[in-house]
Amino acid sequence: MGVKEIKAADLDTDKFIATQVAEIKSAVGDGLAINALSGGVDSSAVTLLGHRALGDRLKTYFIQNGLMREGEPDRVVELFAKLGVKVKLVDAQDEFFAALKGVVDPEQKREAITQTFYKKVFGRLVKESGAKHLLQGTILTDIDETAAGIKRQHNVFEQIGIDPQEAFGYKIIEPVVQLRKDGVRKVAQALGLPASVANRPPFPGPALAARVIGEATRERIALVRQATVITERILADVPAFQNMTILHEDRVTGMRNNKREFGLQLEIRCWESVDARVAKPVRVPWETLEALAAELVAKVPGVVSVTYGIAPKPPSTMEVV
Amino acid sequence: MGVKEIKAADLDTDKFIATQVAEIKSAVGDGLAINALSGGVDSSAVTLLGHRALGDRLKTYFIQNGLMREGEPDRVVELFAKLGVKVKLVDAQDEFFAALKGVVDPEQKREAITQTFYKKVFGRLVKESGAKHLLQGTILTDIDETAAGIKRQHNVFEQIGIDPQEAFGYKIIEPVVQLRKDGVRKVAQALGLPASVANRPPFPGPALAARVIGEATRERIALVRQATVITERILADVPAFQNMTILHEDRVTGMRNNKREFGLQLEIRCWESVDARVAKPVRVPWETLEALAAELVAKVPGVVSVTYGIAPKPPSTMEVV
């Protein structure tokens, strides 16, 4: 493709923002554009760039897939409202859980979410909106990983169910494709995003469905969501690239009120990493790990055991699913 | 039952041994006795007490159930040979794996092993031997736990398939039933057992089948056996009540040679405890945990992830199965 990288160290954020805003204006003209905001730094930066260029002619949607962390959809919508950007919240929970029903294989689970997102929900929004321009938060690392075969390449139009014939006239705009994560974080801050968003630890596309081994039902997602609140609070001050709370499918023997309980196990992973290519477990202080385990078994129904991931990536991966 | 406890602090080992040897002699007369030796401290002490009392008229069997740790059957037989006790090794692996086939529920798994041990293998040995006296390593804690409903009470004769009518004339002898584990350890050392046996950390009756979540096949037992060698070596100098290596049934995503691998996960537990009633995870030095994880993923085929148990008992239990 020949995308020219802009390294974070060489990045002049004011100049970059001016250039991208101008390019979006020129590409969209007096038409409409559309984008999906996840709340992550990439799509947040793109939303603000698009809004600077197009104002209300950029239609921004937050798709509530039912797999987000506690309070996340409202938090994102409120934050952007404060920044003057109206984000439309689309409740698509039923569609996602229907697609996930009975799916246990990790790859199939990810595929079900991708398909539901693009083909069903976002595809419908694109068609209904009349927008011919799609803004996407692709970054250079995504391009590299597709080339290396780690991520699968998709024709976006095919994904959203728009036939290549019919697709004539549609256009993808990727304003941050020359940047890596550290560059996007700089741009995000320059655009006025608070540090909590600009420096937000990465969160996977399949969201909490990636944090459940086996079927991602509403009940299991609710359980891992509740556990994630506890983990993120207790590990908030532990420096890390990312932490995660995983619900296992295996049942383990436990004991409560002197009775055997064939219960649930949660796994905590807390990664030290520069760019997620390699990673090792953070040496979290024992008092913190013990407090975390104690609160998880006390508050999350049915949990009798908690483990901490101690293997490095590779051969582990960051996520379990 | 009214068993009179002898506390370890009050225990005069010479006197205790003399009393028990005399009682065994008097009970068995000029008949034969039989016992099953597992290599644990209780059955080891009973074997030596019985041998002092009866010499070759005590028939001692080590039942190789295929679920032991690496080299354990030979090590036990050789140790007792050095102590002048001939132990007959009985290969019953096929019977145990046949009984475990398709069994995934923890309670059913334990039951399958108990049934195979008593009804099939040991029951057959008792009948063939002509012995009417069974020596058992029951300790006071076993009696307490049966009374408390934590362990199930069994009529041993029923278990080994000897009808109560027919059982007339059979007798159970429990020489260490007045002791707890600490008392048995003192007696074991006074009987000449090396410290490695007298102070051996507890190992569960279902052996490595308790260290496998899901079906205990030959292959899965072999894998957890190999991993256990590594864990026991690396944690040898970490003071603990017990450590264990558990093979999970859940598959987790990993990466090897730049390719995705839907691999295996091992869990390590290392307990600090006085009497196993309550326990908490040992704060194992991070360098040790990291070295352990690195060696497990490098040497045990298919393992891509390792975790360390951080929840206390209760609500966890020591064993996972």
Side-chain angles (χ1 to χ4, degrees):
Chain A
M1 295 282 284
V3 176
K4 191 173 176 298
E5 176 171 2
I6 304 174
K7 290 192 188 295
D10 306 330
L11 177 67
D12 175 339
T13 51
D14 287 347
K15 192 175 150 222
F16 179 86
I17 291 167
T19 307
Q20 293 308 321
V21 167
E23 286 195 6
I24 296 168
K25 272 187 183 158
S26 136
V28 180
D30 55 7
L32 291 177
I34 184 170
N35 80 313
L37 170 64
S38 72
V41 63
D42 304 337
S43 68
S44 293
V46 164
T47 299
L48 288 182
L49 287 170
H51 190 259
R52 282 209 189 176
L54 309 172
D56 286 347
R57 288 187 294 117
L58 174 64
K59 306 296 174 194
T60 298
Y61 293 91
F62 184 98
I63 295 169
Q64 160 61 301
N65 56 14
L67 307 171
M68 300 286 170
R69 283 172 292 185
E70 186 69 36
E72 206 154 23
D74 291 338
R75 192 160 57 236
V76 172
V77 171
E78 282 165 25
L79 166 70
F80 278 82
K82 275 187 204 155
L83 295 167
V85 178
K86 191 168 176 300
V87 175
K88 183 90 192 295
L89 190 64
V90 179
D91 187 346
Q93 299 186 58
D94 291 348
E95 283 170 290
F96 281 90
F97 283 114
L100 286 165
K101 197 168 162 58
V103 181
V104 296
D105 177 82
E107 291 298 309
Q108 287 177 23
K109 207 149 75 171
R110 285 175 176 263
E111 188 63 20
I113 294 166
T114 305
Q115 289 292 327
T116 305
F117 182 87
Y118 284 107
K119 239 177 196 131
K120 296 200 71 170
V121 185
F122 193 55
R124 187 170 63 224
L125 293 170
V126 170
K127 289 176 201 164
E128 286 172 5
S129 71
K132 294 289 180 187
H133 294 84
L134 268 63
L135 266 61
Q136 289 218 135
T138 318
I139 67 172
L140 197 52
T141 315
D142 299 328
I143 304 278
D144 290 347
E145 290 183 350
T146 300
I150 298 168
K151 289 194 180 169
R152 288 157 301 173
Q153 183 137 36
H154 286 290
N155 178 315
V156 174
F157 293 116
E158 211 174 279
Q159 272 189 329
I160 63 177
I162 294 175
D163 179 280
Q165 296 287 78
E166 195 191 339
F168 186 79
Y170 278 95
K171 195 163 183 274
I172 299 286
I173 304 174
E174 295 173 324
V176 294
V177 75
Q178 293 172 277
L179 308 178
R180 297 197 184 270
K181 198 63 98 178
D182 49 357
V184 180
R185 294 198 194 282
K186 283 179 74 173
V187 170
Q189 272 188 302
L191 285 163
L193 278 166
S196 61
V197 176
N199 301 321
R200 199 186 81 142
F203 191 64
L208 295 175
R211 304 288 165 81
V212 159
I213 297 180
E215 189 179 351
T217 62
R218 277 176 207 270
E219 294 70 28
R220 302 189 78 216
I221 291 291
L223 190 144
V224 86
R225 177 182 293 123
Q226 181 189 355
T228 299
V229 172
I230 295 170
T231 305
E232 292 190 347
R233 172 168 47 74
I234 292 184
L235 297 186
D237 295 330
V238 175
F241 180 81
Q242 199 178 15
N243 70 57
M244 53 189 75
T245 313
I246 300 148
L247 174 61
H248 281 224
E249 190 166 26
D250 282 340
R251 292 273 171 158
V252 298
T253 303
M255 183 178 275
R256 226 185 290 260
N257 305 322
N258 281 317
K259 279 174 62 183
R260 263 184 195 280
E261 180 174 326
F262 200 34
L264 302 173
Q265 187 176 67
L266 292 170
E267 175 185 349
I268 309 300
R269 292 183 179 184
C270 185
W271 293 110
E272 178 183 326
S273 178
V274 174
D275 57 9
R277 288 185 217 203
V278 297
K280 58 180 204 172
V282 173
R283 294 179 174 186
V284 177
W286 283 106
E287 309 75 56
T288 308
L289 284 180
E290 288 162 9
L292 175 55
E295 188 161 338
L296 290 171
V297 296
K299 298 210 178 140
V300 186
V303 172
V304 296
S305 174
V306 183
T307 63
Y308 184 67
I310 58 171
K313 170 180 179 177
S316 183
T317 45
M318 310 289 278
E319 301 285 345
V320 77
V321 167
Chain B
M1 293 283 283
V3 176
K4 189 172 177 297
E5 176 169 3
I6 303 173
K7 290 194 188 294
D10 305 329
L11 178 67
D12 175 339
T13 52
D14 287 349
K15 193 176 147 221
F16 179 86
I17 291 167
T19 306
Q20 294 308 321
V21 167
E23 287 195 6
I24 296 168
K25 270 188 184 161
S26 139
V28 180
D30 55 5
L32 292 176
I34 184 170
N35 80 313
L37 170 64
S38 72
V41 64
D42 304 338
S43 68
S44 294
V46 163
T47 299
L48 288 181
L49 286 171
H51 190 257
R52 282 208 189 178
L54 308 172
D56 286 349
R57 287 186 294 117
L58 174 65
K59 307 297 176 195
T60 298
Y61 293 91
F62 184 99
I63 295 168
Q64 160 62 301
N65 57 14
L67 307 170
M68 301 286 169
R69 283 173 291 186
E70 187 69 34
E72 206 156 24
D74 292 338
R75 193 161 54 235
V76 172
V77 171
E78 282 166 24
L79 167 69
F80 278 82
K82 276 187 204 157
L83 295 167
V85 178
K86 192 170 178 300
V87 175
K88 183 89 195 293
L89 189 65
V90 179
D91 188 345
Q93 298 186 59
D94 291 348
E95 284 170 288
F96 281 90
F97 282 115
L100 286 165
K101 197 168 162 59
V103 181
V104 297
D105 177 83
E107 292 298 309
Q108 286 176 21
K109 209 150 72 172
R110 286 175 176 264
E111 188 62 19
I113 293 166
T114 305
Q115 290 291 328
T116 305
F117 181 85
Y118 283 107
K119 237 174 200 134
K120 296 201 71 172
V121 186
F122 193 54
R124 188 169 62 224
L125 292 171
V126 171
K127 290 177 201 164
E128 287 173 3
S129 72
K132 294 288 179 187
H133 294 84
L134 268 63
L135 266 63
Q136 290 217 133
T138 318
I139 66 171
L140 197 53
T141 315
D142 299 328
I143 305 279
D144 290 348
E145 290 184 350
T146 300
I150 297 168
K151 288 194 179 167
R152 289 156 301 174
Q153 182 136 34
H154 286 290
N155 177 315
V156 173
F157 293 114
E158 207 175 283
Q159 272 189 332
I160 64 177
I162 294 176
D163 180 281
Q165 296 289 79
E166 196 192 339
F168 185 78
Y170 279 95
K171 193 164 183 272
I172 299 285
I173 304 175
E174 295 173 325
V176 295
V177 74
Q178 293 173 277
L179 308 178
R180 296 196 186 270
K181 197 63 98 180
D182 48 358
V184 181
R185 293 196 194 284
K186 282 179 74 174
V187 169
Q189 271 187 304
L191 285 164
L193 279 165
S196 61
V197 176
N199 301 320
R200 201 186 80 143
F203 191 64
L208 296 175
R211 303 288 165 79
V212 159
I213 297 180
E215 189 179 354
T217 61
R218 278 176 206 269
E219 295 69 29
R220 303 188 78 215
I221 291 291
L223 189 144
V224 86
R225 178 181 292 124
Q226 182 190 355
T228 299
V229 172
I230 295 170
T231 305
E232 292 191 347
R233 172 168 47 75
I234 292 184
L235 297 186
D237 295 330
V238 175
F241 180 81
Q242 198 178 16
N243 70 57
M244 53 190 75
T245 314
I246 300 147
L247 174 61
H248 281 224
E249 190 166 26
D250 282 340
R251 292 274 171 157
V252 298
T253 303
M255 185 178 274
R256 224 183 291 262
N257 305 322
N258 281 317
K259 279 174 65 183
R260 262 184 197 279
E261 181 175 327
F262 200 34
L264 302 173
Q265 187 176 67
L266 291 170
E267 175 184 352
I268 308 301
R269 293 182 179 187
C270 185
W271 294 111
E272 178 184 325
S273 178
V274 173
D275 58 8
R277 289 183 217 204
V278 298
K280 58 181 207 172
V282 173
R283 293 178 174 186
V284 178
W286 283 106
E287 309 74 53
T288 307
L289 284 180
E290 288 163 8
L292 175 55
E295 188 163 338
L296 289 171
V297 297
K299 298 214 176 135
V300 186
V303 173
V304 298
S305 175
V306 182
T307 63
Y308 184 68
I310 58 171
K313 171 183 179 177
S316 183
T317 45
M318 311 288 277
E319 301 284 345
V320 76
V321 167

